[in-house]
Amino acid sequence: MADGREDFEAIRQIHTVLVLHFVDGMKQNDIAAALNLSASKVNRLIAQGRKLGMLRIAVESPFQRLVDIEKQLIEVAQLAAAIVTPTVAGSPDSTLQQVGRAAANQLLETLRDGDVIAITGGKAISALVENLQPERAFDVTVVPLTGGVQGKHYTDVNHLATRLAERLGGTSMLLHAPLFAESREQRDLLLDMASVREIFDLARKAAIALVGVGSIQTPGSSYYDLHPGLDPDREKLAASGAVGEFLAHLIRDDGTLADYPPNDRLVALAPSELGRCRSVMGVASGAEKVWPIRATLRGNYLKSLVVDEETANAVLSNAGSIRNVA
């Protein structure tokens, strides 16, 4: 049996292939088509699984504790899928990169030619994009879910959309509008522009939405990177009941939109508008993301979640409150 030093992503992929072949009875060619892999790679993964001792009476994983946490998340939050990666002790950046790799692999397993992918900005989505290693090109279109903020690579959603399309071999459509308008009236005018409306119409019915989950409570929270000129009023924030950020909207712990003025000036889809997407994958890691993740789950905004082990356990520590979603 492989020990904890075995590469998590390789082990997870082997485990998936073994389950599909030996438990679900799928043929190797069908597995290859379902996971966007070559038939020869599927054969190699099965051989590696045998060599590692993963194939017994039942298919087992050296990371069974993570598989168990995934099952809990799916049951408690009523998700279609969940992936939990190991937490790298003392290294939030390494943990984030591992979450990004897992999310990238999940995207490649579910992606189909002709899909529209809609994305937000954020460090987690940036990690996903930079860790993509597709084996072939995909005929896909990538569009932003929000207006952009220049200055940092992970806040510039147009930059991330372009990078994602380049890595997949697809095309991108850019949104030439700021994330925050100067007023609600200006926001409405921007949303009514034909070029903006076209992109948001595509995003509403995208096959896959890749979304970060943001924190607002810590001084270095990425929400404030989205609005460099924003001087947060902590009293107003507290009064609004906001606990996190989703699609740049501040949300309360029950997932509803907070009564906070910048929400009214956002050039972005509302969280509720993602309901038509085939898959809405949330990607996040870190203790500061626990309450924001819970809020997005209570709001029923996510269909799948990729997160690290410590964060997942913290989210589940108050599972009853997640189960009572609206």
Side-chain angles (χ1 to χ4, degrees):
M1 178 62 67
D3 61 25
R5 293 172 296 179
E6 293 289 344
D7 179 72
F8 168 74
E9 289 305 322
I11 291 292
R12 180 177 180 84
Q13 193 170 50
I14 292 170
H15 180 261
T16 298
V17 169
L18 292 176
V19 169
L20 291 176
H21 187 56
F22 291 100
V23 177
D24 295 343
M26 288 180 64
K27 296 179 180 179
Q28 293 187 28
N29 286 338
D30 293 335
I31 295 172
L35 301 183
N36 288 317
L37 300 173
S38 64
S40 60
K41 181 161 186 178
V42 170
N43 186 269
R44 289 198 305 272
L45 291 172
I46 291 174
Q48 289 170 357
R50 291 181 185 274
K51 185 177 180 180
L52 291 171
M54 294 173 64
L55 185 60
R56 298 180 179 179
I57 296 175
V59 178
E60 299 180 350
S61 168
F63 295 95
Q64 188 60 44
R65 72 184 191 282
L66 303 181
V67 174
D68 293 340
I69 297 171
E70 291 170 358
K71 291 178 180 178
Q72 291 180 57
L73 281 171
I74 290 170
E75 178 183 357
V76 167
Q78 301 177 4
L79 295 169
I83 295 178
V84 178
T85 72
T87 301
V88 182
S91 182
D93 289 340
S94 296
T95 298
L96 179 61
Q97 289 303 311
Q98 188 148 258
V99 168
R101 284 193 296 274
N105 288 340
Q106 179 70 2
L107 171 63
L108 293 176
E109 290 180 4
T110 58
L111 193 58
R112 300 290 180 266
D113 287 315
D115 281 349
V116 173
I117 308 171
I119 70 169
T120 67
K123 294 178 182 178
I125 300 303
S126 179
L128 182 161
V129 172
E130 295 308 314
N131 280 285
L132 271 173
Q133 296 182 346
E135 294 190 340
R136 69 171 180 88
F138 289 88
D139 179 18
V140 296
T141 302
V142 183
V143 298
L145 282 161
T146 73
V149 176
Q150 295 183 347
K152 296 182 179 179
H153 67 278
Y154 57 83
T155 61
D156 188 343
V157 70
N158 281 334
H159 169 75
L160 289 179
T162 301
R163 287 286 291 159
L164 178 58
E166 288 173 347
R167 285 185 170 263
L168 292 173
T171 59
S172 61
M173 296 179 65
L174 306 185
L175 186 61
H176 298 294
L179 178 58
F180 287 92
E182 294 181 3
S183 65
R184 182 184 297 184
E185 291 73 23
Q186 186 186 73
R187 187 272 317 267
D188 292 342
L189 288 173
L190 288 169
L191 292 177
D192 198 43
M193 291 176 59
S195 59
V196 175
R197 190 169 62 246
E198 178 186 10
I199 289 176
F200 280 162
D201 283 345
L202 280 173
R204 286 185 184 93
K205 54 188 178 183
I208 300 173
L210 305 175
V211 295
V213 180
S215 61
I216 64 170
Q217 299 299 331
T218 57
S221 294
S222 57
Y223 175 73
Y224 305 115
D225 289 333
L226 301 179
H227 197 329
L230 180 67
D231 182 15
D233 187 323
R234 299 290 178 176
E235 290 186 4
K236 285 186 178 179
L237 269 176
S240 74
V243 299
E245 168 263 317
F246 188 71
L247 296 187
H249 292 78
L250 293 188
I251 57 175
R252 302 185 183 94
D253 61 0
D254 62 356
T256 58
L257 298 185
D259 184 15
Y260 193 63
N263 276 355
D264 295 331
R265 297 188 284 110
L266 278 169
V267 181
L269 289 193
S272 60
E273 294 184 276
L274 296 181
R276 294 172 59 187
C277 298
R278 183 180 79 213
S279 172
V280 182
M281 183 195 299
V283 188
S285 73
E288 72 279 5
K289 300 298 180 71
V290 172
W291 281 103
I293 291 171
R294 286 176 177 166
T296 60
L297 294 176
R298 290 176 186 135
N300 289 318
Y301 298 137
L302 302 179
K303 296 180 181 178
S304 65
L305 176 64
V306 185
V307 67
D308 69 284
E309 182 178 8
E310 287 187 0
T311 305
N313 280 329
V315 169
L316 287 168
S317 67
N318 194 15
S321 62
I322 299 172
R323 191 175 288 113
N324 296 325
V325 290

